[in-house]
């Protein structure tokens, strides 16, 4: 029986991928190359340093560890100026209504994000108090597709992996959920999120009881 929901943040609760893309793109452009939106897809759910390494590889740029840390810090500063303007209006459609349905049950809610900025974003959009547990990039050592973030989420909720349902928009995130032996609801397109147990386009008009009966 499902007793806990584990939500990814970026692309599931709020749409920050565009801001990550803008900030990484500016960095790449400064280094003399460009990254496409399609390439940006491959960065979803991937940690900051892993993303940086993928981008540098893509642009055939070799840097020292120190230079990489400096670039990552600069990208994050730019990213923070972009996300600091986010408000409750930036919560993705249907999320609030879905949370309201969950609150009427005994199902617990945890965040499972590799972002080190997750708490700041949740505070900004006013959702921080809706979570029973928050696992973010500051609490884990391995990014998705490693299952660490979701296993820690389940543990903090006091649940077994089999009792948890993951909501994910990224290929790496769906894999992380499956690697944690959890059921996964993909948020996005079925052609992309092929490993998810079910795929929904978003949370609009989702009936919790119906979803649970489909997944269990
Ligand atoms: C999420 C996003 C990734 C991002 C990662 C780290 O998983 O989907 O695109 O790289 O978080 O975010 P951070 O805010 O710590 O740089
Ligand atoms: Mg995501």
């Amino acid at each position: 029986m499902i007793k806990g929901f584990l939500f990814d943040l970026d692309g599931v609760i709020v749409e920050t991928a565009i801001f990550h893309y803008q900030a990484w793109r500016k960095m790449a452009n400064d280094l003399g190359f460009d990254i496409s939106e399609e390439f940006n897809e491959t960065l979803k759910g991937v940690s900051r340093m892993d993303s940086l390494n993928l981008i540098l590889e893509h642009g055939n740029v070799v840097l020292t560890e120190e230079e990489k840390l400096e670039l990552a810090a600069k990208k994050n500063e730019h990213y923070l100026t972009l996300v600091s303007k986010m408000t409750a209006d930036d919560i993705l459609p249907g999320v609030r209504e879905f949370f309201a349905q969950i609150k009427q049950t005994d199902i617990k809610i945890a965040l499972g994000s590799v972002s080190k900025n997750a708490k700041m974003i949740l505070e900004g959009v006013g959702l921080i108090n809706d979570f029973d547990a928050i696992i973010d990039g500051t609490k884990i050592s391995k990014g998705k597709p490693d299952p660490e973030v979701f296993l820690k989420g389940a543990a903090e909720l006091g649940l077994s992996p089999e009792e948890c349902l993951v909501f994910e928009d990224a290929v790496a995130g769906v894999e992380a959920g499956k690697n944690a032996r959890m059921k996964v609801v993909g948020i996005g397109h079925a052609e992309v999120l092929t490993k998810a147990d079910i795929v929904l386009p978003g949370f609009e008009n989702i009936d919790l009881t119906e979803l649970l009966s489909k997944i269990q």
Side-chain angles (χ1 to χ4, degrees):
M1 200 170 109
I2 301 292
K3 296 182 180 169
F5 285 175
L6 305 178
F7 289 89
D8 172 47
L9 176 68
D10 296 323
V12 171
I13 292 174
V14 286
E15 194 43 284
T16 48
I18 180 74
F19 300 129
H20 279 295
Y21 179 48
Q22 281 173 23
W24 283 131
R25 194 172 186 201
K26 163 94 174 62
M27 183 202 79
N29 289 172
D30 288 348
L31 290 169
F33 64 98
D34 202 10
I35 52 171
S36 66
E37 258 181 79
E38 199 186 346
F39 176 76
N40 188 57
E41 273 303 305
T42 66
L43 303 178
K44 286 187 177 174
V46 178
S47 76
R48 194 181 305 167
M49 290 315 282
D50 288 349
S51 300
L52 176 63
N53 284 323
L54 288 172
I55 296 167
L56 294 178
E57 206 181 294
H58 189 69
N60 290 314
V61 176
V62 179
L63 298 175
T64 65
E65 270 319 297
E66 204 185 328
E67 287 168 327
K68 284 188 199 173
L69 288 173
E70 213 173 282
L71 279 185
K74 209 168 149 201
K75 178 267 173 177
N76 195 51
E77 231 173 80
H78 182 193
Y79 176 71
L80 287 178
T81 62
L82 299 172
V83 294
S84 63
K85 298 181 188 91
M86 290 176 84
T87 67
D89 291 341
D90 294 293
I91 298 170
L92 284 168
V95 170
R96 284 174 172 292
E97 293 77 4
F98 189 59
F99 273 30
Q101 290 184 60
I102 304 169
K103 302 279 174 198
Q104 288 176 9
T105 70
D106 291 329
I107 294 172
K108 295 212 174 90
I109 305 180
L111 187 83
S113 167
V114 306
S115 171
K116 292 187 167 141
N117 300 307
K119 277 194 176 167
M120 183 224 136
I121 292 170
L122 284 180
E123 256 166 42
V125 301
L127 284 179
I128 192 114
N129 296 323
D130 285 270
F131 290 85
D132 300 297
I134 293 182
I135 310 297
D136 63 14
T138 66
K139 290 192 181 169
I140 53 161
S141 59
K142 285 167 259 157
K144 299 167 187 175
D146 191 280
E148 184 184 11
V149 65
F150 293 132
L151 292 174
K152 283 205 167 151
E156 235 178 80
L157 292 180
L159 300 175
S160 70
E162 291 74 19
E163 291 172 321
C164 294
L165 180 61
V166 169
F167 293 85
E168 255 296 345
D169 71 310
V171 174
V174 170
E175 280 175 17
K178 293 320 292 178
N179 289 337
R181 301 182 316 280
M182 295 174 184
K183 286 269 171 61
V184 179
V185 177
I187 302 294
H189 302 282
E191 317 85 74
V192 181
L193 305 174
T194 52
K195 293 188 183 158
D197 294 282
I198 354 176
V199 179
L200 304 173
F203 291 103
E204 263 175 313
N205 307 315
I206 298 302
D207 183 75
L208 178 58
T209 319
E210 209 179 290
L211 174 67
L212 285 173
S213 72
K214 266 193 208 157
I215 206 99
Q216 292 189 106

